[in-house]
Amino acid sequence: MFDGLTIGQFIPGDSLIHRLDPRTKIVTTILLVAAVMLAGSWPAYLVLSILLLAVFTLAGIPPGMLWQNLRPFWFILGITFLLQIFFTPGEVVFTAGPLHVTRPGLALGGQILWRLTVLILAGFLLTATTSPLKLTAGLECLLAPGKRFGVPAHELAMMMTIALRFIPTLFSEAQTIMKAQQSRGADFMQGGLWGRVRGIVPLLLPLFAGAFRRAEDLATAMESRCYRGGAGRTRMEELSLRGIDFGALILCVALFSLILGLRWRGW
Amino acid sequence: MITVNNLTHIYAPGTPLETISLRNINLQISRGEFVALAGPTGSGKSTLAQHFNGLLLPSAGCVLVNGMDTRDKKKRRELWRTVGLVFQYPEQQLFEENVFAEVAFGPRNMGLDRREVERRVRRALEMTGLEYDTVKSMSPFMLSGGQQRRVALAGILAVEPPVLVLDEPAAGLDPAGRRHLLEQIKAWQLSRGTTVILITHNMEDAARYADRMVVLLKGEKWREGTPRQIFGQPEGLHEAGLDLPLPAGVMFGLKEKGLAVRCDTLTLDEAEQEIKTVLPGGK
Ligand SMILES: Nc1ncnc2c1ncn2[C@@H]1O[C@H](COP(=O)(O)OP(=O)(O)OP(=O)(O)O)[C@@H](O)[C@H]1O
Ligand SMILES: [Mg+2]
């Protein structure tokens, strides 16, 4: 079902994108997301899509993996698209039974489909090219100013590292459990709705039991190494912004301004 | 019974994480045989094990079980009844509210009637050394790790498959528990003609119980033969990450010291006999 690859997995590499400072990548990703939300015209879609694909190419991630990462979302994507094309009022393009596909519906559906796809891929790009350690270091650093107002920057970042660290573990564990139950004749795909819901118990229960056990072990392991939160902790690798970071930031700000400008003009 | 033809398996093909975990494996396992599958960590043992009941499918080559190709989707159900696979750390897959239901999961999925299910659960539990009447209504999560392992194993045994594949079933058990478990599996093999494939890191176990050994190294079949043949030529075994069982190891040590002894002794008794032959006076 999810052989080999999992969502949010880091793909080690030494590309330009891998070497960018995590803070740069987080900020540019946020800018990209904002730009995607603002974009409302073909030129804007085109520019952003090309940019994203170019960055993927630069990062050396094969196109097949984009598809693999989108696959788990196809259902949500499909449903939102269908809802839009059928339930937006306007000029009818064609009719399927009681349902009408409208021109504004198609446009809106396409737009939402594109937005969601780009958002998913942008998230994938960030986690694929940034090791979890760096990602949280960057996040903690960006959140640090909030500490004065009571934002637990370190704790948030640590929670995220742990979550990211264990997503692949959970996936592979789910896979193993599923296989084990299948070899006892469990069937995850058959039966009506009720059958399927019941069929999932042999998968979910051991998975949760395992997750709790793991969480407890981890807490013990951290405490026995005297972990007590962020105060006074130092890092193995200090973050530093370099030329390419400023280059990337300037490029993204420029692009964001362009999209904003287009929007301003009603595009 | 099982034929593996030119089997190659690749995890995550076409991505930077691609791993070739098995390369061109050829293997024949006949009915009723006890085969030990050995090899260092990461050599592909578990990957191979999952090919026997179609949980993993070959990237190239094929696996035939009783003439059924594991790639054949229509044979899925028959395949899992034929090949029972006990995973590494099977206790992590427990989920039912009591031990009885846990062990009965497989037989119930086979659609057996209540009496037969109960008979099989009782038998499987007692085989693994658990008291049926004591444990049947306990929650599997209240048991110790070793007991959980037995329950999980019983869950497969209760299906009574003609082929039993065990991925390090004794890892983490105490020596007595380990011995008991393997003795029971051996007895099961002998009494019912079950084909057993045992994955193990423990060379003593392999030497003691297996009719034949297959050693994997870096995803390839490195050596194959009876334990006597494998341990009789210990050259290279160490490089392959395997130890000699104690009796063979001692003899090999003596041979290196210049004594003319055979090295393919598998049990302490055999080793004792062999040492007597070279001792002055023969005792
Ligand atoms: N789900 C997976 N995805 C990607 N690679 C995998 C996966 N499972 C195993 N591998 C890789 O395949 C190779 C063989 O692994 P396998 O688990 O078969 O080894 P093993 O011989 O059972 O080792 P061990 O003695 O530690 O259980 C290893 O290099 C491993 O990294
Ligand atoms: Mg293994």
Side-chain angles (χ1 to χ4, degrees):
Chain A
M1 195 186 238
F2 12 68
D3 186 27
L5 271 183
T6 52
I7 308 158
Q9 179 156 18
F10 173 53
I11 299 162
D14 191 35
S15 70
L16 189 65
I17 309 298
H18 282 84
R19 275 177 286 149
L20 283 174
D21 186 278
R23 287 168 294 179
T24 312
K25 282 188 268 190
I26 296 172
V27 171
T28 48
T29 306
I30 294 173
L31 279 176
L32 178 68
V33 167
V36 167
M37 290 309 176
L38 279 175
S41 62
W42 288 111
Y45 298 157
L46 202 68
V47 171
L48 288 171
S49 308
I50 289 175
L51 174 82
L52 194 68
L53 292 181
V55 178
F56 267 111
T57 317
L58 262 181
I61 295 171
M65 284 180 77
L66 305 192
W67 175 239
Q68 267 186 332
N69 261 271
L70 280 174
R71 218 171 33 180
F73 298 100
W74 72 266
F75 187 72
I76 299 178
L77 292 177
I79 289 285
T80 27
F81 181 66
L82 289 180
L83 284 179
Q84 293 301 331
I85 64 169
F86 287 129
F87 296 110
T88 312
E91 179 196 339
V92 174
V93 187
F94 71 86
T95 309
L99 296 169
H100 304 288
V101 177
T102 64
R103 191 175 294 281
L106 273 176
L108 213 58
Q111 187 184 41
I112 288 190
L113 193 65
W114 177 81
R115 279 186 179 163
L116 288 177
T117 310
V118 173
L119 289 187
I120 294 166
L121 290 181
F124 169 53
L125 183 62
L126 181 65
T127 51
T129 60
T130 321
S131 73
L133 222 61
K134 284 196 173 163
L135 195 58
T136 38
L139 200 73
E140 188 176 343
C141 199
L142 288 173
L143 287 176
K147 275 186 196 156
R148 247 183 280 169
F149 314 106
V151 178
H154 172 78
E155 283 72 14
L156 282 176
M158 180 56 88
M159 273 158 60
M160 210 183 77
T161 325
I162 294 174
L164 277 175
R165 160 67 186 75
F166 282 103
I167 288 175
T169 314
L170 270 180
F171 263 89
S172 73
E173 211 160 88
Q175 208 172 9
T176 312
I177 295 170
M178 197 147 100
K179 285 178 180 174
Q181 310 298 28
Q182 270 172 328
S183 56
R184 296 160 75 188
D187 209 330
F188 296 107
M189 296 300 158
Q190 268 178 7
L193 187 61
W194 180 235
R196 282 196 194 197
V197 170
R198 283 207 339 189
I200 205 101
V201 171
L203 173 62
L204 282 190
L205 225 100
L207 194 63
F208 278 118
F212 284 124
R213 191 173 47 226
R214 213 181 277 285
E216 235 166 75
D217 289 351
L218 185 67
T220 316
M222 284 168 79
E223 272 173 11
S224 61
R225 286 176 220 173
C226 305
Y227 174 79
R228 54 231 288 291
R233 276 172 78 85
T234 52
R235 294 198 167 276
M236 183 113 146
E237 267 179 86
E238 291 296 333
L239 299 178
S240 64
L241 290 175
R242 285 170 302 162
I244 44 169
D245 294 299
F246 291 111
L249 282 168
I250 291 169
L251 189 74
C252 277
V253 171
L255 190 83
F256 179 74
S257 316
L258 176 76
I259 305 282
L260 195 67
L262 282 173
R263 185 78 205 185
W264 197 261
R265 302 212 145 188
W267 277 58
Chain B
M1 186 86 206
I2 298 182
T3 308
V4 179
N5 267 333
N6 276 320
L7 170 65
T8 295
H9 186 83
I10 306 174
Y11 280 110
T15 71
L17 302 170
E18 180 175 296
T19 340
I20 302 182
S21 47
L22 291 175
R23 211 188 294 258
N24 258 320
I25 307 271
N26 283 294
L27 206 59
Q28 282 278 356
I29 295 170
S30 22
R31 193 178 303 273
E33 206 177 8
F34 196 126
V35 177
L37 195 56
T41 285
S43 55
K45 303 180 297 292
S46 302
T47 308
L48 182 56
Q50 289 173 45
H51 278 85
F52 293 134
N53 73 349
L55 285 178
L56 289 178
L57 296 176
S59 304
C62 67
V63 178
L64 300 175
V65 178
N66 259 347
M68 296 181 279
D69 191 321
T70 56
R71 286 170 301 188
D72 188 350
K73 285 213 166 78
K74 277 171 266 161
K75 298 280 169 64
R76 279 285 144 77
R77 288 188 77 78
E78 208 181 323
L79 204 58
W80 76 257
R81 284 173 196 201
T82 312
V83 183
L85 175 60
V86 181
F87 273 78
Q88 238 167 335
Y89 306 110
E91 58 274 23
Q92 288 171 7
Q93 295 125 31
L94 304 177
F95 66 96
E96 288 282 9
E97 50 195 321
N98 61 53
V99 170
F100 182 89
E102 186 66 55
V103 179
F105 184 69
R108 278 180 183 157
N109 281 329
M110 293 171 76
L112 298 173
D113 68 54
R114 251 194 49 224
R115 293 230 337 267
E116 176 65 11
V117 169
E118 197 183 318
R119 191 187 66 79
R120 287 186 175 209
V121 172
R122 179 185 287 271
R123 228 164 73 170
L125 279 173
E126 309 225 300
M127 229 201 83
T128 57
L130 294 169
E131 284 271 346
Y132 174 78
D133 293 305
T134 332
V135 296
K136 68 171 184 195
S137 48
M138 289 169 78
S139 158
F141 296 99
M142 309 288 288
L143 301 173
S144 78
Q147 289 169 321
Q148 287 183 352
R149 173 80 54 90
R150 287 154 202 245
V151 171
L153 181 65
I156 297 286
L157 291 180
V159 176
E160 304 193 351
V163 181
L164 201 52
V165 183
L166 304 143
D167 198 343
E168 299 188 38
L173 293 186
D174 60 77
R178 159 184 217 103
R179 177 63 52 84
H180 177 85
L181 191 72
L182 292 171
E183 290 290 342
Q184 291 292 321
I185 291 167
K186 184 75 191 173
W188 183 270
Q189 176 226 355
L190 293 177
S191 65
R192 342 182 103 239
T194 301
T195 310
V196 177
I197 300 169
L198 173 76
I199 297 180
T200 181
H201 281 289
N202 186 312
M203 292 304 114
E204 251 113 80
D205 291 347
R208 184 185 298 265
Y209 300 108
D211 304 320
R212 198 150 59 92
M213 288 181 67
V214 174
V215 184
L216 295 183
L217 186 61
K218 295 192 183 130
E220 296 188 53
K221 188 169 82 180
W222 183 65
R223 271 187 203 172
E224 181 180 10
T226 61
R228 223 176 266 289
Q229 289 165 339
I230 300 277
F231 297 124
Q233 333 162 341
E235 297 79 16
L237 270 185
H238 193 70
E239 287 68 49
L242 300 184
D243 288 333
L244 280 174
L246 183 67
V250 168
M251 301 311 279
F252 192 61
L254 289 176
K255 189 177 178 180
E256 286 198 321
K257 288 263 185 308
L259 286 175
V261 288
R262 278 172 34 220
C263 295
D264 58 354
T265 48
L266 296 181
T267 62
L268 285 173
D269 285 344
E270 265 180 29
E272 192 183 331
Q273 291 300 326
E274 188 63 24
I275 290 175
K276 277 184 186 159
T277 62
V278 295
L279 280 181
K283 38 174 178 170

